Structure formats: structure tokens, C-alpha cells
């Protein structure tokens, strides 16, 4: 079936070719049949006319013989011209006769029927038209048919039939002479034997080529006066006859059936039948212009041709319909393969196509990639169905806002792209910022009334990549950067490349670092208002052989984005508890341990159980442990987090809010949180001396903390003034370089003893 569809037109032309072949075959046979029919028509007509002519002439011969016998019997063969009534009565038997009579051997007509005016009769031997025929009658015993001519004595064109009358000695005593009408309305010599304008019936004399009789359109009897075929013409006639039949003219003459011939005269083609009458030496010919055959052929052939053309047209229409349907189907498939089912935007394949085309045109353009902020949270909280609605709405807004660009597409998930006409980096950046703002407005006023943000990465062709792969990669790097730095829009910069490569490198090395124990923990003491060490914060450290020292901020983030965080978190927890157990044993006074927990780790199912079993494993009482979390933990839903927090607290573990004040959580949210400690971020402590707002912020945090019976820890205390100010504000715990940098676990004991003694 597919072969048929693919070669539909070939098949069509094959059918046309076969059709034409069959049609030509049918038409050829039809032509042959028409020709044969015409041939039979001529044959039949020649036969019929020949019989009639023979009959008529025989009848004349008989009449002449009867009349001659009567004349001899009545002894009327003399020179007196007179009308004999008994001749009239004999003539009545033959209506074809114009008149007849008896002529003397000298050519003078003497005894006639009443139809002949004897005074007008010429001497038959002297008159040019009758001389030859009369002479031959004198020389012959047979009926002689003379040349057709006009006889004023009877007022008609006549075909003379003559027969000599002889005495016992064989001498001619008279010549019986009859005039058969050649211009009769009916009868064998009537001008109505032909069937149309291109058809004729002719009788020629073999003897001298004179036309004896002709029935044809537009023929008047005057033509008999000098109508005869020249010897050359007759030679041509004979040739066409002999050629068509493959026999000699004598053999043809001897035939008792008519012969068919084809011939060409004066630029026209004729078909005819001819028969020679040896008795009267006449050629009886039935002939038509080949046009008549064509006409008959076309009458039937045209119908066939029309039917054929109609069928072809129908077939053509069918093929066209099938082709169109196929075309539509293919277009639909093509559309499907290049468009996203959910949003009807171009999909990844469509985008690749679009960019490839633009790259081939070598015109500048911008690639803008968008990633909806926290889309996973939306999906988790409201379900996939709602998530789909959000994607659809986002797609609608994007399509609307990017309508003057090359187009929008969806790459999958919550990632979208706009291919922009803008090729200058600064303009593209402005466009992206504007697009984000308009998107936010559009989404807020749309049917879902959503507050939705997105991260945007942009790159321009060819400045940021001169091939499909490189431009897409650059845009992705920019998007990656935007997401990482939580910056709304990032335009590609070459250093992103290095940053990206470094992250990939860190990711690769980090896996090995955990198994090869290149990762270890440092501990930074936390002191009370008197400067005594009351606890330590465990901080991860990594000295890599290839990368050198990698700050925890950096590798924690890589671990979070590469799925290594849970493993890293477990590693940190185990190492810290193991170290802490040793420290406790060494210090022999109550110390507390703070461990940083990443949001991703915290969201893990069974996290609380994991912590409790680790505590048991290393023999550390839960009261000694504080888990530091950040506000990002609450980003994916407050309700989901609280049960875990409460489970941990119920077990006796404390919870601390790290970097407090830098995130987005509202103070009202804080009231609901089951939190034991607030860590005042270093950025506020840094400015606490000179910066009024920073100081106010710290005062508020301390007030809130006290209000909720929370412990307050100030981090990043670097000098005495900061310490004194914080003590003055009511903060109870401090951590910072002013007291100690993070130290190796072996050093914690000595440090504690030195400060606390
Ligand atoms: P953090 O939890 O807020 O840790 C405090 C950071 O401030 C530490 O940096 C510490 O060295 C630094 N710091 C303390 N006092 C001072 C000071 O007086 N001056 C200055 N300039 N810095 C001070 P560090 O170790 O580079 O850690 C950075 C961040 O990396 C941490 O911030 C924490 O968020 C993360 N981190 C470190 N270790 C871990 C870990 O084991 N697990 C997790 N999840 N995160 C960790
Ligand atoms: Mg911390
Ligand atoms: Mg902190």
C-alpha cells in the first residue's frame, strides 16, 4: 500500500499509458471495421447497380429485338420517316426509355415512337456524339451502348442503346436505336443513387473513357457533353485498382464480383468498388471520399475518446484526492513531530530545525531560554493537572509576548525558549528583562492569576556560538548561571564556560573525595558572653589533589545540583558524630555540636530516622545535637517540613535557622516554626557598628528570638566592638574569627581547655 502511495503518480501515468495503448488498439480496430464496412457498402452497391444496369440493358435489347421483328414482319423497313403507334405501345413496357426507333444503315432515323420529333433528329452517323456508337452497332451483333448525349428530338439526355438488324445474308438492313433517360428522377439511371455529398456512382465506358452516367451531388447532365477520363487518368485508375487487388487489369475485368480500390485525386483520397461488365464494356463504379469513413469513425471513436478522457479525469481527480489526503496526513505527522502536545509550541525537534535554518542563513539572532521558578513545587503542591494548566498558560503568554520574534518553543519540563530577532547582546538583555516583567504581569492578570517568575539565560548568534550546538550550549550555560545565582536574567559570558567546567570537574572529583576520605570536618567554636566554648559548628573541608582547596559553599551547591547531596550529607553527619564523640571524651565537659543540613537532605524521606540511628551508632545524646537548616527548606511547602521538624525535636535534637534574615521568610512564618535557635547572618554582624539599618535588623531579630524563646547566635564576629555591641543587645552566643577560626578535631580539646579554664 505504501509503495502505491509513494508512487501514486507513476502508477497513474502507467494506467494512462496502458489506457492509451488499449484505446489506440480499439480505435485502430474500429477504423479497420469502419473501412471494411465502407468497402462492403461499395461492393454491395456496385453489385446492385450492375445487376440493375444489366437488367435494363437486357430489357432494352429485348424491346429492340421485338420491335425489329415487328418492323420486318410488317415490312416497314423503308425510307419514309413516320411515327409508328405500335412502337409506343412496346415502349410502355420500359419507362426508362425516352423514345426509340429504327435508323437506316446510313444513320437516318425513320420509324420512331411518338416521343421523338423526327424533324429534329440528326443523322446518327453524321452527328459527332452518336457516330462512333452507331458505327460500332453496324459492326456488331450485340447491343451497343453509345455515348451519353443530349437529344433535342426527345428533349432529354439519353444513353443510346443500339442493335443492328440483319437480313438472311447477314447484311445490316437497319439499326434499332433506343434512348434511355440519363437524367431520370428514378430508376437505375436516376440522380439519386449516391448517399451524400462525398459519395458518387459512376458508369464509365471502357472503350473511350467517356462518362456514361453519374449520380453525385451537384451533377447536371450537361457534364456528359465532354466528361471523359484521359488515357493518363485511366492509367492511374487502373493502377490503383491493380495495386489494391494484386492482380492484372485483365484478371480484374474477368472477375464476376466487384473489386475494391483506393485512390488519390486532386488532393483528396477516395475509396471505391468497381466492376466491369464485359457484355456492355462498362465500368460500374461506386466511390466515396475517405472523409465519409472518417466521419463514421469519428462518430463512434469520439464517444469512446470522451469516455476515456472522462475516466482519466476521474482517475486524475482520485489520485489528486489521495495525494492531498496523504499530504495532509504527512503534514499532520510532521506538525506532531515538531510541536509540543501540551502547549502546541515548537518542541525540541522543531527548535533544532528553526535554529538550524537561521544558522544556515547566517543572520544574527538571539536564543533566550526560560525556566519557571520552583515549578516542581507547583506540581507537588497542586498536582500534575494544575501543573499542566500552568505550563499551558505560561506558553500562551510567551507566545503572545514573543509574537514579533521568530517564535517560542518548549524544550520539555518547565523549560521554554524564544528565538529572538535581536542580535545585539545589550538589546537582548533588555528584551529579556522586559519579557520577564511582561510575563509576570500577563500571568498575574491571566485566568490563573499567578505570581510566577522564571530564570532566563540568553545568548546571541554568532557572537556566543557560531553553530547550532555551541549557541544552544551558551544559552544553557547562561540559564544555568541564572538559576545558580538566582539572578533573573543572565546573558552568556565566556567565564561561564570556565565556571561550568569547574563545576563538572568538582562533581567528578567529589564522588572520589568521599570514598577516599579527602573530605574532612573542621570545627568552629561557639562561645557564650563570657567567651567560654559551649559548642562547635561542624564545617566540611576538602583539599583536592587536582583542584586544591574547594570552599564548602561551592561543592555543597554542586552536590545539590548533581544529586550527590544526600550522600555528602550522610558522610558529613557520620564524620561529625565520630569526631564529636572523640572530642567529648577528650574535653569531658558538656559541649554542643551544630551540623549544617541542606534542604535537599532534609526533604529526604526517613531523614529523622537516619539522624537518630547515627546518634545511637556514635553514642551521642540527642540533646548535644543542633541541626542548622536554612529558609530554603520551607520553599517547597511549609506543611511537608513541619512533621520532620517536630519528630526531631521530640527526640531532643535542637533546630537552628542559619543565615537568618537573608532569605525571604516572613517574621510571621517564624512564629509557627518549631525552631530553637536563630543564627544572625554574618552580613548583619559585619555592618553592625556603622550601619543603622543593619543594627536595627539585628535588634529586631534578637527581639523576635527572645519573644519565641529562641537561642540567639551571632556568626562572623570578627572584632571586639562587634562582640560588645551584640552582648549589649542581648545576644547570648557568638561564633567568629574573633574567638577562633574553624580548627581540626584534634585541636578542639586544647582550644576548649584554654578558653574555659
Ligand atoms: P555557615 O553554616 O553559615 O557557616 C559559617 C561560615 O562562616 C563558615 O564558612 C565559617 O568558616 C565562616 N566564618 C565563621 N566566622 C567567620 C568570621 O569571623 N569571618 C569570616 N569571614 N567567616 C567566618 P565555610 O566553612 O566556608 O562554610 C560556608 C558555608 O558552607 C556554611 O555556611 C554552610 O552553609 C556551608 N557548609 C559548610 N559545611 C557544610 C556541611 O558540612 N554541610 C552543609 N550542608 N553545608 C555546609
Ligand atoms: Mg552553619
Ligand atoms: Mg551561616
Amino acid at each position: 500500500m505504501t509503495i502505491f502511495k509513494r508512487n501514486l503518480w507513476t502508477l497513474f501515468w502507467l494506467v494512462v499509458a496502458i489506457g492509451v495503448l488499449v484505446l489506440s488498439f480499439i480505435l485502430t480496430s474500429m477504423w479497420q471495421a469502419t473501412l471494411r464496412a465502407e468497402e462492403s457498402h461499395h461492393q454491395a452497391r456496385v453489385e446492385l447497380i450492375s445487376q440493375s444496369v444489366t437488367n435494363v440493358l437486357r430489357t432494352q435489347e429485348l424491346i429492340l429485338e421485338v420491335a425489329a421483328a415487328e418492323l420486318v414482319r410488317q415490312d416497314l423497313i423503308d425510307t419514309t420517316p413516320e411515327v409508328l403507334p405500335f412502337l409506343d405501345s412496346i415502349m410502355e413496357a420500359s419507362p426508362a426509355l425516352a423514345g426509340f426507333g429504327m435508323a437506316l444503315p446510313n444513320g437516318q432515323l425513320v420509324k420512331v415512337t411518338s416521343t421523338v420529333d423526327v424533324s429534329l433528329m440528326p443523322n446518327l452517323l453524321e452527328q459527332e456524339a452518336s457516330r462512333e456508337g452507331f458505327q460500332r452497332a453496324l459492326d456488331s451483333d450485340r447491343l451497343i451502348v453509345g455515348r451519353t448525349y443530349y437529344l433535342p428530338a426527345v428533349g432529354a439526355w439519353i444513353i443510346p442503346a443500339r442493335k443492328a438488324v440483319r437480313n438472311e445474308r447477314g447484311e445490316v438492313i437497319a439499326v434499332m436505336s433506343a434512348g434511355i433517360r440519363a437524367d431520370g428522377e428514378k430508376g437505375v439511371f436516376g440522380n439519386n443513387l449516391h448517399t451524400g455529398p462525398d459519395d458518387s456512382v459512376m458508369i464509365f465506358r471502357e472503350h473511350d473513357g467517356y462518362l456514361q452516367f453519374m449520380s453525385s451531388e451537384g451533377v447536371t447532365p450537361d457534364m456528359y457533353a465532354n466528361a471523359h477520363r484521359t488515357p493518363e487518368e485511366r492509367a492511374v485508375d487502373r493502377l490503383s485498382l491493380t495495386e489494391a487487388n494484386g492482380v492484372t487489369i485483365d484478371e480484374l475485368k474477368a472477375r464476376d464480383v466487384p473489386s475494391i480500390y483506393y485512390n488519390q485525386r486532386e488532393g483528396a483520397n477516395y475509396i471505391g468498388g468497381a466492376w466491369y461488365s464485359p457484355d456492355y464494356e462498362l465500368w460500374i463504379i461506386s466511390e466515396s471520399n475517405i472523409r465519409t469513413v472518417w466521419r463514421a469513425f469519428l462518430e463512434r471513436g469520439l464517444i469512446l475518446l470522451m469516455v476515456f478522457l472522462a475516466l482519466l479525469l476521474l482517475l486524475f481527480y482520485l489520485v489528486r484526492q489521495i495525494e492531498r489526503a496523504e499530504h495532509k496526513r504527512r503534514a499532520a505527522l510532521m506538525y506532531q513531530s515538531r510541536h509540543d502536545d501540551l502547549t502546541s509550541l515548537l518542541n525540541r525537534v522543531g527548535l533544532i530545525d528553526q535554529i538550524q535554518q537561521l544558522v544556515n542563513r547566517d543572520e544574527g539572532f538571539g536564543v533566550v531560554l526560560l525556566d519557571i521558578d520552583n515549578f516542581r513545587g507547583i506540581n507537588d503542591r497542586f498536582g500534575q493537572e494544575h501543573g499542566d494548566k500552568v505550563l499551558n498558560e505560561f506558553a500562551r503568554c510567551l507566545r503572545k509576548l514573543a509574537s514579533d520574534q521568530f517564535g517560542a518553543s518548549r524544550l520539555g519540563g518547565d523549560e521554554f525558549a524564544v528565538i529572538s530577532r535581536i542580535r545585539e547582546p545589550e538589546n537582548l538583555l533588555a528584551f529579556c528583562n522586559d519579557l520577564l516583567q511582561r510575563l509576570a504581569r500577563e500571568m498575574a492578570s491571566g485566568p490563573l492569576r499567578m505570581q510566577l517568575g522564571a530564570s532566563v539565560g540568553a545568548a546571541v548568534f554568532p557572537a556566543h556560538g557560531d553553530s547550532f550546538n555551541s549557541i544552544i550550549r551558551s544559552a544553557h550555560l547562561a540559564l544555568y548561571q541564572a538559576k545558580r545565582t538566582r539572578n533573573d536574567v543572565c546573558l552568556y559570558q565566556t567565564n561561564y564556560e570556565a565556571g561550568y567546567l569547574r563545576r563538572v570537574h568538582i562533581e567528578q572529583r567529589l564522588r572520589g573525595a568521599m570514598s577516599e576520605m579527602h573530605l574532612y570536618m573542621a570545627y568552629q567554636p561557639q562561645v557564650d558572653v563570657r567567651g567560654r566554648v559551649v559548642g562547635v559548628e561542624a564545617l566540611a573541608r576538602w583539599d583536592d589533589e587536582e583542584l586544591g582547596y574547594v570552599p564548602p559553599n561551592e561543592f555543597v551547591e554542586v552536590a545539590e545540583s548533581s544529586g550527590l547531596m544526600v550522600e555528602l550529607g550522610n558522610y558529613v553527619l557520620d564524620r561529625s558524630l565520630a569526631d564529636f564523640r572523640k572530642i567529648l571524651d577528650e574535653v569531658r565537659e558538656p559541649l554542643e555540636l551544630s551540623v549544617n543540613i541542606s534542604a535537599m537532605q532534609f526533604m529526604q524521606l526517613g531523614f529523622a530516622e537516619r539522624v537518630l540511628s547515627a546518634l545511637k551508632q556514635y553514642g551521642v545524646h540527642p540533646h548535644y545535637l543542633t541541626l542548622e537548616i536554612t529558609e530554603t527548606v520551607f520553599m517547597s511547602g511549609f506543611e511537608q517540613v513541619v512533621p520532620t521538624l517536630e519528630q526531631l525535636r521530640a527526640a531532643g535534637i535542637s533546630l537552628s535557622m542559619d543565615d537568618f534574615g537573608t532569605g525571604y521568610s516572613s517574621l510571621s512564618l517564624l512564629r509557627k516554626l518549631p525552631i530553637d535557635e536563630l543564627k544572625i547572618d554574618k552580613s548583619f554582624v559585619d555592618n553592625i557598628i556603622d550601619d543603622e539599618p543593619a543594627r536595627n535588623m539585628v535588634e529586631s531579630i534578637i527581639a523576635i528570638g527572645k519573644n519565641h524563646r529562641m537561642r540567639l547566635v551571632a556568626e562572623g564576629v570578627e572584632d571586639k566592638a562587634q562582640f560588645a555591641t551584640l552582648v549589649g543587645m542581648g545576644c547570648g552566643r557568638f561564633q567568629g574569627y574573633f574567638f577562633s577560626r574553624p580548627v581540626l578535631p584534634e585541636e578542639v580539646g586544647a582550644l576548649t581547655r584554654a578558653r574555659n579554664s
Side-chain angles (χ1 to χ4, degrees):
M1 197 62 192
T2 32
I3 289 182
F4 283 151
K5 278 183 186 163
R6 208 167 300 149
N7 304 306
L8 214 55
W9 285 110
T10 320
L11 203 71
F12 172 75
W13 289 116
L14 195 74
V15 171
V16 171
I18 293 173
V20 167
L21 269 177
V22 171
L23 185 74
S24 343
F25 177 76
I26 294 176
L27 288 179
T28 315
S29 331
M30 203 181 255
W31 168 254
Q32 298 291 349
T34 317
L35 215 52
R36 293 290 94 79
E38 189 71 6
E39 285 176 358
S40 332
H41 159 71
H42 286 300
Q43 244 161 346
R45 194 160 65 170
V46 167
E47 253 169 48
L48 198 75
I49 293 169
S50 302
Q51 268 172 24
S52 307
V53 167
T54 311
N55 282 345
V56 167
L57 292 178
R58 290 237 167 89
T59 312
Q60 300 320 312
E61 198 171 352
L62 215 69
I63 287 171
L64 291 184
E65 276 169 7
V66 169
E70 193 57 27
L71 284 169
V72 171
R73 192 179 67 79
Q74 291 189 29
D75 197 17
L76 285 171
I77 300 178
D78 55 36
T79 54
T80 324
E82 57 183 327
V83 172
L84 297 175
F86 84 89
L87 291 181
D88 281 339
S89 62
I90 295 174
M91 194 178 80
E92 271 166 27
S94 175
L97 277 183
F100 82 99
M102 185 200 79
L104 296 173
N106 65 4
Q108 190 197 344
L109 201 65
V110 279
K111 313 291 177 195
V112 295
T113 53
S114 60
T115 51
V116 182
D117 183 348
V118 184
S119 63
L120 290 176
M121 266 313 286
N123 183 301
L124 294 174
L125 205 55
E126 284 165 12
Q127 186 189 232
E128 156 74 19
S130 56
R131 183 193 302 132
E132 181 267 353
F134 194 82
Q135 187 59 57
R136 278 174 60 214
L138 289 176
D139 301 340
S140 170
D141 289 336
R142 301 202 341 234
L143 182 87
I144 297 297
V145 182
R147 240 186 253 172
T148 306
Y149 68 100
Y150 185 71
L151 188 64
V154 294
W157 286 87
I158 54 146
I159 299 168
R162 301 199 175 92
K163 185 158 185 176
V165 185
R166 296 175 191 269
N167 58 18
E168 303 79 48
R169 292 186 300 277
E171 293 156 357
V172 177
I173 52 169
V175 175
M176 295 305 294
S177 197
I180 306 164
R181 284 183 178 276
D183 55 359
E185 298 281 293
K186 36 187 204 280
V188 69
F189 296 117
N191 190 20
N192 51 11
L193 298 183
H194 63 283
T195 54
D198 291 316
D199 191 53
S200 49
V201 171
M202 294 165 281
I203 299 175
F204 275 103
R205 292 155 55 83
E206 165 72 352
H207 184 65
D208 54 8
Y210 262 86
L211 186 65
Q212 192 82 66
F213 167 77
M214 183 167 190
S215 169
S216 183
E217 195 91 343
V219 161
T220 51
D222 328 10
M223 64 174 299
Y224 297 122
N226 50 11
H228 71 279
R229 308 282 286 157
T230 62
E232 295 78 36
E233 288 170 330
R234 298 179 74 196
V236 173
D237 291 348
R238 276 157 206 262
L239 194 67
S240 47
L241 253 174
T242 50
E243 267 181 3
N245 294 281
V247 289
T248 65
I249 196 73
D250 290 329
E251 282 171 315
L252 267 179
K253 278 166 131 182
R255 278 188 181 177
D256 51 7
V257 287
S259 308
I260 292 299
Y261 69 89
Y262 289 86
N263 116 15
Q264 199 180 29
R265 295 192 306 271
E266 293 133 27
N269 285 299
Y270 296 90
I271 172 174
W275 180 70
Y276 181 68
S277 161
D279 288 349
Y280 305 108
E281 296 179 34
L282 292 175
W283 282 102
I284 289 112
I285 289 167
S286 163
E287 186 184 80
S288 58
N289 191 313
I290 208 90
R291 271 203 300 251
T292 53
V293 185
W294 273 111
R295 233 174 271 132
F297 167 72
L298 285 181
E299 257 170 37
R300 287 199 295 154
L302 266 182
I303 291 173
L304 198 71
L305 201 70
M306 292 310 234
V307 170
F308 177 72
L309 286 179
L311 283 176
L312 271 195
L313 222 64
L314 190 75
L315 192 67
F316 177 78
Y317 176 77
L318 268 175
V319 169
R320 267 274 288 278
Q321 289 303 104
I322 294 174
E323 194 197 35
R324 279 196 188 150
E326 184 65 5
H327 193 79
K328 257 194 198 161
R329 202 179 62 86
R330 249 185 254 161
L333 271 181
M334 186 75 178
Y335 182 89
Q336 242 173 32
S337 71
R338 291 165 44 94
H339 288 79
D340 176 41
D341 281 348
L342 181 67
T343 62
S344 315
L345 290 180
L346 282 182
N347 60 14
R348 190 176 283 274
V349 178
L351 179 75
I352 290 174
D353 246 32
Q354 190 182 35
I355 294 186
Q356 200 66 63
Q357 277 174 23
L358 289 169
V359 167
N360 291 346
R361 265 195 265 162
D362 210 20
E363 275 172 37
F365 62 91
V367 176
V368 178
L369 298 182
L370 301 101
D371 190 289
I372 301 180
D373 287 342
N374 192 29
F375 180 71
R376 236 188 64 191
I378 295 172
N379 246 349
D380 289 348
R381 215 173 307 165
F382 304 108
Q384 187 147 355
E385 208 171 305
H386 184 79
D388 284 355
K389 273 189 200 156
V390 172
L391 288 177
N392 246 326
E393 176 62 6
F394 190 82
R396 181 191 71 78
C397 297
L398 198 62
R399 186 188 284 123
K400 179 176 167 188
L401 298 175
S403 58
D404 53 348
Q405 305 300 320
F406 285 126
S409 42
R410 179 180 172 222
L411 296 180
D414 59 346
E415 205 173 304
F416 291 81
V418 170
I419 304 302
S420 166
R421 295 177 188 277
I422 303 170
R423 10 173 136 179
E424 301 79 22
E426 305 74 43
N427 296 351
L428 188 65
L429 197 63
F431 166 78
C432 291
N433 279 312
D434 183 53
L435 180 70
L436 259 192
Q437 276 177 20
R438 289 196 294 157
L439 258 174
R441 272 205 302 275
E442 188 78 28
M443 289 292 288
S445 62
L448 298 178
R449 305 209 169 278
M450 287 195 75
Q451 301 290 336
L452 201 74
S455 303
V456 177
V460 290
F461 175 89
H464 298 155
D466 56 3
S467 69
F468 169 76
N469 283 329
S470 59
I471 186 71
I472 280 290
R473 183 185 148 83
S474 299
H476 259 121
L477 281 176
L479 176 64
Y480 186 65
Q481 185 72 11
K483 281 203 276 191
R484 203 166 70 85
T485 55
R486 297 192 200 287
N487 238 344
D488 290 342
V489 178
C490 276
L491 184 71
Y492 171 80
Q493 288 171 20
T494 28
N495 61 347
Y496 291 173
E497 196 89 26
Y500 176 76
L501 288 178
R502 178 167 166 86
R503 293 170 65 83
V504 171
H505 201 174
I506 288 175
E507 189 187 322
Q508 283 168 357
R509 301 288 303 168
L510 189 60
R511 292 173 199 272
M514 282 187 274
S515 58
E516 287 162 29
M517 311 290 265
H518 287 309
L519 239 142
Y520 59 93
M521 305 307 293
Y523 297 88
Q524 187 174 33
Q526 289 183 350
V527 302
D528 61 12
V529 283
R530 291 185 291 152
R532 292 170 61 89
V533 178
V534 288
V536 287
E537 179 179 2
L539 296 160
R541 292 288 174 264
W542 178 23
D543 288 307
D544 186 69
E545 281 170 4
E546 285 178 18
L547 294 158
Y549 174 72
V550 185
N553 278 328
E554 199 178 357
F555 67 76
V556 163
E557 191 208 308
V558 172
E560 281 185 329
S561 59
S562 61
L564 279 174
M565 193 56 228
V566 174
E567 197 183 333
L568 176 66
N570 288 338
Y571 180 86
V572 164
L573 190 66
D574 286 347
R575 271 304 281 267
S576 308
L577 288 173
D579 288 343
F580 188 63
R581 179 68 261 164
K582 283 189 203 151
I583 292 170
L584 278 183
D585 292 344
E586 189 191 338
V587 176
R588 294 192 173 281
E589 57 178 293
L591 273 188
E592 285 170 24
L593 170 71
S594 292
V595 179
N596 293 289
I597 302 296
S598 114
M600 209 168 268
Q601 198 182 347
F602 190 85
M603 300 298 290
Q604 195 68 18
L605 265 179
F607 169 71
E609 288 78 8
R610 172 80 185 76
V611 175
L612 292 173
S613 81
L615 282 170
K616 205 175 265 173
Q617 185 186 343
Y618 296 101
V620 177
H621 194 276
H623 280 126
Y624 292 137
L625 183 65
T626 300
L627 298 181
E628 292 189 11
I629 54 174
T630 59
E631 287 151 305
T632 49
V633 164
F634 301 100
M635 267 170 66
S636 48
F638 180 73
E639 292 79 11
Q640 283 155 304
V641 181
V642 172
T644 314
L645 292 176
E646 271 167 354
Q647 193 185 353
L648 290 165
R649 273 182 108 199
I653 296 167
S654 300
L655 295 167
S656 170
M657 182 65 92
D658 204 354
D659 307 335
F660 188 71
T662 58
Y664 63 92
S665 56
S666 64
L667 296 179
S668 60
L669 177 78
L670 195 66
R671 220 169 290 142
K672 300 189 218 159
L673 287 182
I675 290 286
D676 307 280
E677 177 185 282
L678 289 185
K679 284 189 94 172
I680 303 165
D681 193 66
K682 179 176 178 297
S683 57
F684 302 117
V685 175
D686 281 346
N687 301 318
I688 199 167
I689 303 297
D690 324 301
D691 190 31
E692 178 90 24
R695 200 165 42 237
N696 289 343
M697 183 69 184
V698 174
E699 273 176 343
S700 312
I701 295 174
I702 291 173
I704 293 163
K706 291 215 156 145
N707 226 351
H708 292 94
R709 297 171 192 283
M710 289 174 186
R711 196 163 63 198
L712 288 148
V713 183
E715 50 178 354
V717 181
E718 290 185 343
D719 57 41
K720 195 171 179 176
Q722 292 170 343
F723 177 50
T725 310
L726 285 161
V727 172
M729 285 176 171
C731 183
R733 266 197 204 199
F734 312 88
Q735 185 183 341
Y737 291 176
F738 180 59
F739 312 103
S740 169
R741 289 188 170 247
V743 296
L744 290 175
E746 307 79 83
E747 301 169 56
V748 175
L751 202 146
T752 307
R753 275 195 302 277
R755 289 200 77 97
N756 293 8
S757 56

